[in-house]
Amino acid sequence: MTEADYSAEDNLIEVRDLVKYYPLKTGFSASILGSKDFVHAVDGVSFIIKKGEIFALAGESGCGKTTTGRCILMLVKPTSGDIIYGGRNIAKLPDSEVRKLRTKLQIVFQDPYESVNPRFTIYEIVSEGLFINGLVSTDEEAMERVRTALSSVQLTPPEQFMFRYPHELSGGQRQRVSVARALVLNPDFVVADEPVSMLDVSIRAEVLNIMKDLVDKLGISFIFITHDLAVSKHIADRIAIMYLGKFAELASAEELVANPLHPYTQALMAAIPVPDPRAEKIKVLVKGEVPSAARIPSGCRFHPRCLYATEICVSQVPEFRMVSQDHWVACHYAGQVGIATQK
Amino acid sequence: MAVLEVDKLKMYYSTREGDVRAVDDVSFTLEKGTTLGIAGESGSGKSSLAYTLMKLLPQNGSIRGGKIIIAGVDVSDMPEGEVRSKVRWKHISLVPQSAMNALNPVFKVGEQISEAILVHQDTDPDIAIEKSKQMLELVGIDPRRYDSYPHELSGGMRQRAMIAMALVLNPDIIVADEPTTALDVIVQAQIIQLLKDLKRTLSMSLVLITHDLSLVAEMSDMVIIFYAGQIVEYGSSEALFVTPAHPYTFGLIHAFPNLKGPKTKLISIPGSPPDLVAPPSGCRFNPRCQFATQICREVEPELRSLNGGRLVRCHHAEEVLAKSVR
């Protein structure tokens, strides 16, 4: 494939067949002979992130959503697969080249209490990346950019926050500092890994609203990693549901929530409590718990828990196929089983 | 019939900065066979309330007044020995927060359940083992798992084991403190279903303490919204979630997204929960409240009743109610 094929107009990042295995070290002999067992954290995932899009990666713990996010940023080196950004395959670039792209590809971590250095002032935290990447040479320049970044996450007036320490700020304010730290470098793309799951409900909304505003105003693309479908639906343009390292379903947020086709997506949706006591309740549509990613079930990896599994599901891996306009599902019986047919 | 009555309960922690008023003048009753949801943010004192009901307080925490009436007896000033032999686990038991990590990793799961029986009751060890196995089966764990160690069980199974342990002496009341917080949604739904089923078959009463409003809405008959150590609103689940009368409840309901229904703009509640050493004067919620006026900054509102058996601690409840009905 030539470089020219790599760039469609509004594609920011294209991920092709991304795979990340972690070796399972089982003992002394394995350490000498090399381990044969692997945890299949991400097992062949392909998708495109468009410019100015919020793309939600949703799933239960251990499904590989965080590893996917980190691979795209090259914070974790993929086992195989391509990540095309700016016409180049960054998965194949040497570390020194990846480092030059670091300002454009940023991350916001889950825990606002542990991801900022408690001994730095807010100014130092936010400006550190500017100095490391040589984007500014003087304190005055840095100050100006930090001020803009803090204002854009509504920590205003910025002067009031710049010289305070993280412990003087609330959880929501700290998480906004994390967002400002990513923004100050003018990134194209930010991975936000469960950015609101540690926050109390009353302050979640402020972080979510700010992220949405940033996408609208600055055209940044986000990958929003979350276990919470309600939050995904609220914030994202498209949602991908991950299960054991693979995509189970991918569609626009509205479509996915209104018309879930994969039995796993349906089960996830049925499991979420609804904050309305009058709402009709659907019983859980799934058995057991997520199996270990070191022993992936044969065929469809969801089949041991699926209520509709048949012979073919045990023997054949379902293809991730488009069943309607931009609605992708990996299920032999997509649209023929579950909630969709019960109506 | 009320199985639990809490009357003007106060529990403060003594610290160098002064008393932390974690539970401040709290009264409620729990009817037999019902679920009472207590919802609040971190630091609101909801877990302190749970541990006060269990009389499991750290050294610097003490009950400064009020009554906890369990099975007709006030346990608030009962000595620890008597609480342990007569009340705890027999009448009221606890499913603790992060129950997944509450099991001792070096003892077999079954042994830990048997131990709960043997500590609280004079029983033959063989009978205790038999009873523990029955309990495991009741919560959906294979009784052969009696000899498993906690690390051999998944998170959901460990949570089930903790529930089995709480049920083992047939208590009237279970206090569940964030019973599903660390679990994935599907496992969470399984645990919720288990609690609902057990509640029905054993006709037990449940105090559910959580930050998750959706969970409260789904499980509770009556709901308490807890803020800064106090009840700010009390009423039926339906009344509270459909027509909130306290600005805090109103705010919470608009602050998080709903999977079903149209996309709405989320409104965050500004600021953060107050310092319980020196709570704001007047209404404790006034610095964050969009309805606050002069009176809110000066006069602390009483918990007063609205129609339909609801209670609310707000000077402007009628105004809030009018807005939420719309």
Side-chain angles (χ1 to χ4, degrees):
Chain A
M1 199 174 281
T2 58
E3 293 259 318
D5 301 332
Y6 281 166
S7 54
E9 255 313 285
D10 58 345
N11 292 356
L12 182 71
I13 292 180
E14 183 175 351
V15 177
R16 281 200 206 130
D17 210 19
L18 184 72
V19 173
K20 177 66 192 175
Y21 292 167
Y22 290 105
L24 259 183
K25 292 209 180 76
T26 44
F28 178 64
S29 62
S31 69
I32 293 176
L33 302 169
S35 176
K36 289 196 195 76
D37 292 334
F38 291 94
V39 171
H40 299 225
V42 181
D43 208 358
V45 159
S46 307
F47 59 102
I48 289 168
I49 296 159
K50 298 187 185 124
K51 284 181 185 147
E53 174 181 50
I54 303 185
F55 186 94
L57 273 179
E60 294 178 276
S61 42
C63 73
K65 53 190 194 296
T66 295
T67 308
T68 305
R70 295 196 176 181
C71 281
I72 298 172
L73 297 179
M74 292 295 288
L75 290 173
V76 168
K77 218 170 165 48
T79 306
S80 67
D82 302 325
I83 299 156
I84 315 299
Y85 167 71
R88 293 200 289 175
N89 185 353
I90 58 172
K92 301 284 189 286
L93 288 180
D95 288 350
S96 57
E97 288 293 310
V98 172
R99 212 165 296 132
K100 289 180 192 158
L101 294 172
R102 198 51 84 216
T103 58
K104 292 293 167 196
L105 309 171
Q106 279 292 309
I107 187 163
V108 175
F109 294 100
Q110 175 171 14
D111 187 344
Y113 296 89
E114 290 188 352
S115 61
V116 291
N117 190 329
R119 306 177 70 158
F120 279 14
T121 61
I122 303 307
Y123 166 70
E124 287 171 309
I125 291 166
V126 178
S127 66
E128 196 185 10
L130 290 172
F131 287 108
I132 288 176
N133 290 295
L135 295 177
V136 293
S137 43
T138 62
D139 266 331
E140 284 72 38
E141 280 177 67
M143 207 76 97
E144 192 47 49
R145 297 206 34 185
V146 170
R147 214 173 275 140
T148 317
L150 290 179
S151 314
S152 63
V153 295
Q154 285 160 33
L155 289 172
T156 47
E159 288 73 18
Q160 235 183 56
F161 290 93
M162 272 157 97
F163 303 104
R164 284 158 84 180
Y165 286 90
H167 73 263
E168 298 171 75
L169 269 52
S170 71
Q173 289 172 336
R174 281 189 219 204
Q175 197 59 306
R176 285 189 272 163
V177 169
S178 291
V179 176
R181 174 174 60 184
L183 282 183
V184 77
L185 303 170
N186 284 331
D188 288 337
F189 173 61
V190 177
V191 171
D193 190 354
E194 301 265 17
V196 297
S197 64
M198 300 284 288
L199 304 176
D200 270 317
V201 263
S202 72
I203 48 184
R204 263 179 210 183
E206 72 183 33
V207 176
L208 291 175
N209 287 340
I210 282 170
M211 285 180 51
K212 214 156 165 60
D213 285 350
L214 289 175
V215 172
D216 294 344
K217 284 193 197 123
L218 305 175
I220 299 174
S221 304
F222 272 90
I223 279 198
F224 191 90
I225 296 172
T226 181
H227 65 282
D228 188 335
L229 265 182
V231 168
S232 318
K233 182 212 164 193
H234 179 76
I235 194 165
D237 300 301
R238 286 191 296 158
I239 301 177
I241 305 287
M242 271 190 97
Y243 186 75
L244 279 181
K246 263 191 178 341
F247 279 5
E249 189 161 1
L250 167 64
S252 74
E254 286 79 21
E255 166 72 10
L256 189 103
V257 171
N259 188 22
L261 295 179
H262 197 287
Y264 179 62
T265 315
Q266 296 177 355
L268 271 183
M269 293 204 10
I272 296 169
V274 179
D276 183 347
R278 297 168 302 182
E280 204 179 309
K281 272 139 207 164
I282 307 163
K283 278 228 178 183
V284 184
L285 305 162
V286 69
K287 314 175 265 195
E289 293 181 33
V290 186
S292 157
R295 286 184 298 277
I296 302 279
S298 67
C300 170
R301 49 194 63 203
F302 185 60
H303 86 257
R305 304 178 69 195
C306 184
L307 297 182
Y308 315 105
T310 62
E311 202 85 333
I312 187 174
C313 306
V314 182
S315 58
Q316 275 186 40
V317 178
E319 194 193 340
F320 192 56
R321 61 198 164 99
M322 196 164 92
V323 290
S324 60
Q325 185 62 40
D326 294 323
H327 192 152
W328 297 72
V329 192
C331 175
H332 293 298
Y333 296 106
Q336 300 167 35
V337 290
I339 296 174
T341 56
Q342 283 170 16
K343 275 178 195 162
Chain B
M1 192 186 80
V3 286
L4 170 67
E5 274 182 78
V6 174
D7 186 35
K8 297 194 175 64
L9 185 65
K10 290 182 178 164
M11 196 284 291
Y12 297 172
Y13 296 108
S14 341
T15 66
R16 250 179 290 171
E17 284 81 33
D19 284 341
V20 176
R21 298 192 250 161
V23 178
D24 205 4
D25 199 9
V26 169
S27 308
F28 62 86
T29 56
L30 174 68
E31 296 296 324
K32 187 171 173 59
T34 66
T35 300
L36 173 70
I38 301 181
E41 293 182 274
S42 44
S44 64
K46 60 189 191 303
S47 289
S48 296
L49 176 60
Y51 284 86
T52 311
L53 297 179
M54 295 299 299
K55 299 255 308 178
L56 289 170
L57 291 173
Q59 279 203 325
N60 67 342
S62 58
I63 294 176
R64 303 286 177 88
K67 290 177 186 158
I68 305 169
I69 299 165
I70 297 171
V73 183
D74 181 15
V75 300
S76 62
D77 50 6
M78 193 182 268
E80 169 58 22
E82 207 177 329
V83 172
R84 188 187 298 170
S85 64
K86 290 188 181 153
V87 181
R88 200 182 295 140
W89 241 253
K90 285 184 184 159
H91 290 293
I92 184 166
S93 62
L94 177 76
V95 179
Q97 193 164 9
S98 73
M100 290 173 70
N101 304 321
L103 290 162
N104 189 331
V106 300
F107 289 103
K108 292 171 182 169
V109 172
E111 283 173 1
Q112 297 186 49
I113 299 174
S114 303
E115 188 192 4
I117 304 177
L118 296 170
V119 166
H120 294 282
Q121 207 170 44
D122 195 12
T123 315
D124 183 73
D126 288 336
I127 296 173
I129 291 172
E130 203 40 53
K131 177 82 182 156
S132 307
K133 287 186 176 169
Q134 281 172 15
M135 276 305 156
L136 286 174
E137 196 158 16
L138 184 71
V139 298
I141 300 179
D142 186 340
R144 283 173 295 180
R145 288 288 200 160
Y146 183 91
D147 289 320
S148 296
Y149 287 93
H151 74 268
E152 297 173 299
L153 303 182
S154 68
M157 280 164 81
R158 272 182 263 174
Q159 183 65 285
R160 285 169 193 267
M162 287 308 299
I163 293 171
M165 194 186 289
L167 290 173
V168 81
L169 291 181
N170 301 324
D172 316 313
I173 308 159
I174 300 261
V175 179
D177 185 11
E178 302 274 11
T180 60
T181 304
L183 304 172
D184 279 318
V185 276
I186 289 183
V187 181
Q188 173 178 324
Q190 291 164 345
I191 298 289
I192 291 169
Q193 194 58 49
L194 173 69
L195 284 172
K196 280 182 176 172
D197 292 345
L198 290 172
K199 197 188 111 191
R200 201 177 50 242
T201 50
L202 307 177
S203 70
M204 70 188 190
S205 320
L206 189 65
V207 178
L208 173 73
I209 292 180
T210 180
H211 71 284
D212 187 340
L213 283 174
S214 316
L215 190 61
V216 167
E218 180 150 338
M219 287 198 66
S220 313
D221 303 300
M222 300 302 282
V223 175
I224 285 173
I225 304 288
F226 214 60
Y227 186 80
Q230 293 182 324
I231 296 174
V232 294
E233 190 164 6
Y234 170 82
S236 73
S237 174
E238 185 145 348
L240 251 68
F241 284 98
V242 180
T243 53
H246 193 281
Y248 180 59
T249 320
F250 183 84
L252 283 178
I253 287 170
H254 291 90
F256 70 105
N258 188 344
L259 186 61
K260 314 270 158 69
K263 218 182 232 186
T264 48
K265 175 102 178 145
L266 300 182
I267 308 156
S268 66
I269 302 175
S272 46
D275 177 4
L276 295 182
V277 176
S281 64
C283 173
R284 292 184 182 185
F285 186 60
N286 88 70
R288 304 176 71 190
C289 183
Q290 54 169 320
F291 297 89
T293 56
Q294 196 58 31
I295 187 174
C296 306
R297 288 180 276 274
E298 287 163 2
V299 184
E300 186 169 354
E302 295 283 316
L303 195 61
R304 60 194 172 97
S305 43
L306 294 176
N307 50 5
R310 301 175 64 172
L311 300 172
V312 63
R313 190 186 294 276
C314 177
H315 294 299
H316 300 298
E318 285 75 11
E319 206 181 309
V320 183
L321 203 54
K323 201 170 169 189
S324 61
V325 165
R326 216 183 307 151

